[in-house]
Amino acid sequence: MQGPVCPVPHHHTDTVVIGHGSGGSMTRDLIRNIFQSHLGNAYLDQGNDAARIGLQNAEGEMAISTDSHVVFPIFYPGGDIGRLAICGTVNDVAMLGAEPAFLTAGFILEEGLPMETLTRVIESMASACEEARVQIVAGDTKVVEKGKADGIFINTAGFGLIPPGRDLGGQLARPGDAVLISGTLGDHGIAVLQARGDLGFESGIQSDVAPLNKMIAALLEAVSDVHVLRDPTRGGLATTLKEIACQSQVSIHLDEDSIPVKPAVRTACDMLGFDPLYLANEGKLIVVLPEDKVEIALKVLHNNPYGVMAARIGSVSENDPEQVLLKTPYGTTRILDMLSGEILPRIC
C-alpha cells in the first residue's frame, strides 16, 4: 500500500435501522450476529449469492437463492419491481455457474393497489421470465390493510442446476487473477433516485436491470476456469469486492481510470456527494479469472448486449489480505471498505 490513505467510517447501533438493509457492513453484522448465529449451517455460511446443494442419485448440484424486493417507486426509468424481482434472483442463481430454471414468487399487496398497476408488474415479470428462459412454478399472495405496506412487495426464490465439475464461489479468487466488470457502474441507483424526483434534473439514465444468465453461459462455455462471478448490487462494486477479498483471503487492486462510469452518473454523483463505486447495480457482473483468460473473456462479454462496456479493472494479490485498494488518477491509494450506512434506501 502506497501514498495517502483515507480513513474508514464505522457505525454501530443496538436497533434495526435503514442501514441494516444497505448490503454493506451493517448488513454483514446483522447476518453474522443474528441470522447466522441462530440459523447457521454449512450451506448458509458459504456466503455466496446462492447456496450450493448436492443432489442424491443425480449428477451435478443445485443452486438455490431467495430475494425480497421493496424498491420505491415501483416503476422507474429502465425497469420496475417486477423485472427487478425476476432478474435479481436469476442472476443470484447464475453467479454459481448454475443454469436458472424455476422460480417461486410471493406477493404482499397493500389494500387499494390499482389492478392496472398489478397487471403492469405481472406483465413485466412475464417478459423478464421469457427473456431469461425461466418459469414461475409456485406462488403466494397476501393482502395487508392500507398503510401496512407500500403498494407491492415481492419475494422470489430461484433454482438452477450446476453442471458437474463446475466450481465457482467468492472464496476462490487467487493471487495473479484479473478482475473484470461487465459495464458501467451506478446506473440503477441514479435511475431510481431520478424517479423519486430527488435528482433535481433529468439525467436520462436508465436502470441496468437485466438477466445475465445467457451472457454468463457464453462466458463459461468459452472460459472453463472462471473462479468468481458476483453481481455488485446493494453496496456496489466496492462492497462486493471487499466481500470477495475477505472470503478468499486476498487483496484486490483496482485502477480507478479503468472503471467505467457514464458521464451523467459521474456528474450526478459529484453534485450529490455519492461515490459510484458504492451505488447499486442490477445488471452488472464481476468476473475473477486467470490473467491469461482476460482477452477471450472480454471478447465474449463485448459480444453480448449487456457486456459491451466490459473492462479489466484490477488484479488479485496475496499481499494485504482482505483489503481492496484503489489506485487513483493522482497516484494515491485509497482503501475501499464495505458500505457503512445507507446511501439510497429501497433501491431493490
Side-chain angles (χ1 to χ4, degrees), residues 101-234:
F102 302 112
L103 272 65
T104 68
F107 298 86
I108 298 176
L109 308 178
E110 183 184 17
E111 183 183 27
L113 178 72
M115 285 296 180
E116 180 183 359
T117 300
L118 179 59
T119 300
R120 285 181 62 191
V121 170
I122 301 304
E123 288 175 345
S124 181
M125 293 179 74
S127 175
C129 283
E130 183 176 357
E131 182 179 356
R133 295 181 182 174
V134 297
Q135 293 177 296
I136 295 176
V137 295
D140 179 61
T141 302
K142 296 290 188 297
V143 178
V144 298
E145 297 90 341
K146 193 172 183 61
K148 299 296 185 181
D150 201 353
I152 178 173
F153 298 148
I154 303 174
N155 176 270
T156 46
F159 306 84
L161 289 176
I162 303 172
R166 183 169 290 174
D167 190 15
L168 295 93
Q171 73 281 7
L172 297 177
R174 301 171 185 171
D177 281 351
V179 181
L180 315 181
I181 187 72
S182 64
T184 55
L185 299 177
D187 299 4
H188 177 72
I190 295 300
V192 173
L193 187 65
Q194 176 180 267
R196 292 177 188 162
D198 294 338
L199 208 54
F201 60 91
E202 290 295 325
S203 69
I205 293 295
Q206 302 274 317
S207 169
D208 59 355
V209 58
L212 302 177
N213 52 320
K214 292 181 184 176
M215 184 170 70
I216 289 172
L219 174 65
L220 296 180
E221 183 176 349
V223 182
S224 61
D225 52 349
V226 171
H227 295 153
V228 184
L229 296 176
R230 190 69 66 84
D231 51 344
T233 52
R234 291 179 306 164

Side-chain angles (χ1 to χ4, degrees), residues 307-327:
V308 292
M309 294 295 292
R312 183 190 188 283
I313 60 173
S315 59
V316 178
S317 170
E318 60 184 354
N319 300 321
D320 303 313
E322 298 192 2
Q323 297 278 12
V324 179
L325 305 171
L326 179 73
K327 180 182 178 182

Side-chain angles (χ1 to χ4, degrees), residues 9 52 54 85 111 159 169 206 221 251 265 277 287 293 298:
R52 189 184 184 104
E111 183 183 27
F159 306 84
Q206 302 274 317
E221 183 176 349
S251 62
V265 171
L277 302 183
V287 185
K293 302 297 175 58
L298 285 176

